[in-house]
Amino acid sequence: MNKTLTAATFAALISGQAHAGNVEVLHYWTSGGEAAALAILQKMMKDEGHSWTDFAVAGGGGETAMTVLKSRAISGNPPSASMIAGPEIAQWGDLGVLAKLDEVATSEGWDALLPKAVADIHKYQGSYVAAPVNVHRINWMWMNKSILDQVNGGQVPQSWDEFFAFMDKAKQAGFIAFAHGGQDWQDATVFEQVALGVGGDDWYRQAFVELDKQALSSDTMTQAFATFKKLKSYMDPGMPGRDWNLTTAMVIDGKAAVQIMGDWAKGEFAAAGKQPGKDYVCATVPGTQNAFNFNVDAFMMFAQKSKEAQAAQQDLSRLLVSKEFQEEFNLKKGSIPVRPDVSLARYDSCAKQSMSDFQASAKSGSLVPSFAHAMAMEPAVSGAVYDVVTNFFNDNDMTADAATSRLVSAIELAQ
């Protein structure tokens, strides 16, 4: 036996153990496709010598997870990392509880890699405090190809008139025309895409990013509410409270024709062994063909006391933005990489279209952040919008005019 090699190996093992740490990660990725994507990160951390404590909080929109996070943080016991999105990062920064990631960001060249609009969201007072992992496109609709072929000759509806004509045909053929899960964040997701499709990206930005009162109280908003309400007649009685991934399964299984949902839905199709163009069709929501409504998933880091925990957290941050993780993770998650140097050779046609549209929208100025997914508004304001949208959707007697008036009032009170 080579004693020198043995001693060196032993020393290396001791060194690795000395720096091995644990990360406790709070997230709400609990569906099949999401869990498969997250498993990649867990394995990579294990390969680095660190342990992982999974802190999963079910609820596709993340509201429950954020409530749990606030409780943990107030008690002085936050996790190492938590999923987060958008303006809420700055609110946590104001509390002075976040860890700075500048050392990792500088060594990995994040500023050169990440689009400025994405990088700035994940900084607090000039320092990175969160690691972005992907770009999700929200304005997608997912159609069962067999149903589309059977009732609509394979033609993808381009306008709302064409869409509702497709809904009528699917309903008459005995299918659930529109697959939806009646939860407030799903209501907001669909309403957001209807609003973008009805009003266009400039009006959407005025209304839901700038919170311009004229745009919020406009006839366009009333038309968006009316179009949104019209979808309800094409839904099934089991809609209330249904999780989004169970709703996606209805399209996968050929029970429903179409679902409007962000591209994380594609992860469910992939997990079921389905292929775009063969089993399902991805297409932009009517009227949104030239816009890109997005959110970015990220992991925000909380300050840690021990050197081992800090080292593990820094490694986690590095891995999240690494080219290897970005490629493998987004293949399973359904999203596209946040860094532009990742090869899309292994990605499907939906992802390639998404990346092409993302880059085109970035150049044309038609990128719009998702208010339904925490990218456009402060939490108090988006919560007020959620309430108005879901109350309107569930109240058969409320008119679109009344919903518009309530939206304006709710946003004014929340600001």
Side-chain angles (χ1 to χ4, degrees), residues 219-232:
D219 290 341
T220 304
M221 184 67 74
T222 301
Q223 184 183 353
F225 272 115
T227 304
F228 173 59
K229 192 68 156 282
K230 189 175 179 180
L231 289 171
K232 192 172 183 180

PDB file of all heavy atoms in Angstrom, residues 219-232:
ATOM      1  N   ASP A 219     -61.769  51.078 -20.118  1.00  0.00           N
ATOM      2  CA  ASP A 219     -62.667  50.107 -20.748  1.00  0.00           C
ATOM      3  C   ASP A 219     -61.911  48.821 -21.088  1.00  0.00           C
ATOM      4  O   ASP A 219     -62.508  47.733 -21.120  1.00  0.00           O
ATOM      5  CB  ASP A 219     -63.271  50.700 -22.019  1.00  0.00           C
ATOM      6  CG  ASP A 219     -64.276  51.811 -21.730  1.00  0.00           C
ATOM      7  OD1 ASP A 219     -64.771  51.880 -20.588  1.00  0.00           O
ATOM      8  OD2 ASP A 219     -64.547  52.609 -22.651  1.00  0.00           O
ATOM      9  N   THR A 220     -60.615  48.950 -21.357  1.00  0.00           N
ATOM     10  CA  THR A 220     -59.801  47.768 -21.658  1.00  0.00           C
ATOM     11  C   THR A 220     -59.780  46.824 -20.468  1.00  0.00           C
ATOM     12  O   THR A 220     -59.860  45.591 -20.637  1.00  0.00           O
ATOM     13  CB  THR A 220     -58.360  48.181 -22.024  1.00  0.00           C
ATOM     14  OG1 THR A 220     -58.405  49.101 -23.123  1.00  0.00           O
ATOM     15  CG2 THR A 220     -57.518  46.974 -22.401  1.00  0.00           C
ATOM     16  N   MET A 221     -59.693  47.379 -19.255  1.00  0.00           N
ATOM     17  CA  MET A 221     -59.702  46.540 -18.058  1.00  0.00           C
ATOM     18  C   MET A 221     -61.051  45.833 -17.918  1.00  0.00           C
ATOM     19  O   MET A 221     -61.117  44.638 -17.593  1.00  0.00           O
ATOM     20  CB  MET A 221     -59.416  47.377 -16.813  1.00  0.00           C
ATOM     21  CG  MET A 221     -59.315  46.559 -15.528  1.00  0.00           C
ATOM     22  SD  MET A 221     -57.865  45.468 -15.517  1.00  0.00           S
ATOM     23  CE  MET A 221     -56.557  46.677 -15.228  1.00  0.00           C
ATOM     24  N   THR A 222     -62.118  46.551 -18.167  1.00  0.00           N
ATOM     25  CA  THR A 222     -63.453  45.954 -18.090  1.00  0.00           C
ATOM     26  C   THR A 222     -63.598  44.828 -19.110  1.00  0.00           C
ATOM     27  O   THR A 222     -64.168  43.769 -18.816  1.00  0.00           O
ATOM     28  CB  THR A 222     -64.530  47.026 -18.335  1.00  0.00           C
ATOM     29  OG1 THR A 222     -64.398  48.058 -17.344  1.00  0.00           O
ATOM     30  CG2 THR A 222     -65.917  46.428 -18.244  1.00  0.00           C
ATOM     31  N   GLN A 223     -63.055  45.048 -20.312  1.00  0.00           N
ATOM     32  CA  GLN A 223     -63.096  44.008 -21.332  1.00  0.00           C
ATOM     33  C   GLN A 223     -62.283  42.790 -20.899  1.00  0.00           C
ATOM     34  O   GLN A 223     -62.679  41.641 -21.145  1.00  0.00           O
ATOM     35  CB  GLN A 223     -62.550  44.558 -22.655  1.00  0.00           C
ATOM     36  CG  GLN A 223     -62.639  43.563 -23.812  1.00  0.00           C
ATOM     37  CD  GLN A 223     -62.020  44.100 -25.099  1.00  0.00           C
ATOM     38  OE1 GLN A 223     -61.634  45.272 -25.170  1.00  0.00           O
ATOM     39  NE2 GLN A 223     -61.900  43.249 -26.096  1.00  0.00           N
ATOM     40  N   ALA A 224     -61.153  43.023 -20.231  1.00  0.00           N
ATOM     41  CA  ALA A 224     -60.326  41.912 -19.748  1.00  0.00           C
ATOM     42  C   ALA A 224     -61.090  41.090 -18.709  1.00  0.00           C
ATOM     43  O   ALA A 224     -61.071  39.850 -18.738  1.00  0.00           O
ATOM     44  CB  ALA A 224     -59.024  42.443 -19.159  1.00  0.00           C
ATOM     45  N   PHE A 225     -61.764  41.771 -17.796  1.00  0.00           N
ATOM     46  CA  PHE A 225     -62.557  41.057 -16.794  1.00  0.00           C
ATOM     47  C   PHE A 225     -63.681  40.252 -17.457  1.00  0.00           C
ATOM     48  O   PHE A 225     -63.934  39.099 -17.083  1.00  0.00           O
ATOM     49  CB  PHE A 225     -63.142  42.043 -15.780  1.00  0.00           C
ATOM     50  CG  PHE A 225     -62.247  42.337 -14.612  1.00  0.00           C
ATOM     51  CD1 PHE A 225     -61.724  43.607 -14.420  1.00  0.00           C
ATOM     52  CD2 PHE A 225     -61.923  41.351 -13.697  1.00  0.00           C
ATOM     53  CE1 PHE A 225     -60.898  43.892 -13.334  1.00  0.00           C
ATOM     54  CE2 PHE A 225     -61.101  41.614 -12.603  1.00  0.00           C
ATOM     55  CZ  PHE A 225     -60.581  42.894 -12.429  1.00  0.00           C
ATOM     56  N   ALA A 226     -64.340  40.840 -18.425  1.00  0.00           N
ATOM     57  CA  ALA A 226     -65.450  40.154 -19.085  1.00  0.00           C
ATOM     58  C   ALA A 226     -64.966  38.909 -19.844  1.00  0.00           C
ATOM     59  O   ALA A 226     -65.611  37.853 -19.801  1.00  0.00           O
ATOM     60  CB  ALA A 226     -66.154  41.114 -20.052  1.00  0.00           C
ATOM     61  N   THR A 227     -63.838  39.029 -20.509  1.00  0.00           N
ATOM     62  CA  THR A 227     -63.281  37.886 -21.243  1.00  0.00           C
ATOM     63  C   THR A 227     -62.873  36.787 -20.272  1.00  0.00           C
ATOM     64  O   THR A 227     -63.101  35.594 -20.524  1.00  0.00           O
ATOM     65  CB  THR A 227     -62.069  38.338 -22.077  1.00  0.00           C
ATOM     66  OG1 THR A 227     -62.465  39.411 -22.942  1.00  0.00           O
ATOM     67  CG2 THR A 227     -61.518  37.196 -22.913  1.00  0.00           C
ATOM     68  N   PHE A 228     -62.276  37.185 -19.165  1.00  0.00           N
ATOM     69  CA  PHE A 228     -61.867  36.230 -18.129  1.00  0.00           C
ATOM     70  C   PHE A 228     -63.066  35.462 -17.584  1.00  0.00           C
ATOM     71  O   PHE A 228     -63.037  34.239 -17.451  1.00  0.00           O
ATOM     72  CB  PHE A 228     -61.154  37.005 -17.020  1.00  0.00           C
ATOM     73  CG  PHE A 228     -60.823  36.207 -15.798  1.00  0.00           C
ATOM     74  CD1 PHE A 228     -60.019  35.078 -15.858  1.00  0.00           C
ATOM     75  CD2 PHE A 228     -61.293  36.606 -14.548  1.00  0.00           C
ATOM     76  CE1 PHE A 228     -59.689  34.355 -14.715  1.00  0.00           C
ATOM     77  CE2 PHE A 228     -60.973  35.899 -13.405  1.00  0.00           C
ATOM     78  CZ  PHE A 228     -60.175  34.760 -13.484  1.00  0.00           C
ATOM     79  N   LYS A 229     -64.142  36.168 -17.307  1.00  0.00           N
ATOM     80  CA  LYS A 229     -65.339  35.536 -16.744  1.00  0.00           C
ATOM     81  C   LYS A 229     -65.958  34.556 -17.737  1.00  0.00           C
ATOM     82  O   LYS A 229     -66.520  33.519 -17.343  1.00  0.00           O
ATOM     83  CB  LYS A 229     -66.346  36.626 -16.351  1.00  0.00           C
ATOM     84  CG  LYS A 229     -67.514  36.167 -15.483  1.00  0.00           C
ATOM     85  CD  LYS A 229     -67.044  35.772 -14.081  1.00  0.00           C
ATOM     86  CE  LYS A 229     -68.143  35.868 -13.041  1.00  0.00           C
ATOM     87  NZ  LYS A 229     -68.432  37.221 -12.578  1.00  0.00           N
ATOM     88  N   LYS A 230     -65.852  34.866 -19.016  1.00  0.00           N
ATOM     89  CA  LYS A 230     -66.428  34.012 -20.041  1.00  0.00           C
ATOM     90  C   LYS A 230     -65.811  32.617 -20.035  1.00  0.00           C
ATOM     91  O   LYS A 230     -66.465  31.620 -20.382  1.00  0.00           O
ATOM     92  CB  LYS A 230     -66.251  34.665 -21.419  1.00  0.00           C
ATOM     93  CG  LYS A 230     -66.995  33.971 -22.557  1.00  0.00           C
ATOM     94  CD  LYS A 230     -66.869  34.752 -23.862  1.00  0.00           C
ATOM     95  CE  LYS A 230     -67.601  34.041 -24.996  1.00  0.00           C
ATOM     96  NZ  LYS A 230     -67.488  34.799 -26.272  1.00  0.00           N
ATOM     97  N   LEU A 231     -64.561  32.513 -19.617  1.00  0.00           N
ATOM     98  CA  LEU A 231     -63.882  31.212 -19.576  1.00  0.00           C
ATOM     99  C   LEU A 231     -64.537  30.240 -18.599  1.00  0.00           C
ATOM    100  O   LEU A 231     -64.438  29.029 -18.756  1.00  0.00           O
ATOM    101  CB  LEU A 231     -62.411  31.398 -19.176  1.00  0.00           C
ATOM    102  CG  LEU A 231     -61.486  32.045 -20.201  1.00  0.00           C
ATOM    103  CD1 LEU A 231     -60.130  32.354 -19.561  1.00  0.00           C
ATOM    104  CD2 LEU A 231     -61.307  31.132 -21.408  1.00  0.00           C
ATOM    105  N   LYS A 232     -65.220  30.779 -17.597  1.00  0.00           N
ATOM    106  CA  LYS A 232     -65.760  29.929 -16.541  1.00  0.00           C
ATOM    107  C   LYS A 232     -66.769  28.916 -17.066  1.00  0.00           C
ATOM    108  O   LYS A 232     -66.870  27.791 -16.557  1.00  0.00           O
ATOM    109  CB  LYS A 232     -66.405  30.801 -15.460  1.00  0.00           C
ATOM    110  CG  LYS A 232     -66.731  30.043 -14.178  1.00  0.00           C
ATOM    111  CD  LYS A 232     -67.176  31.000 -13.083  1.00  0.00           C
ATOM    112  CE  LYS A 232     -67.424  30.257 -11.782  1.00  0.00           C
ATOM    113  NZ  LYS A 232     -67.854  31.181 -10.694  1.00  0.00           N
TER     114      LYS A 232
END
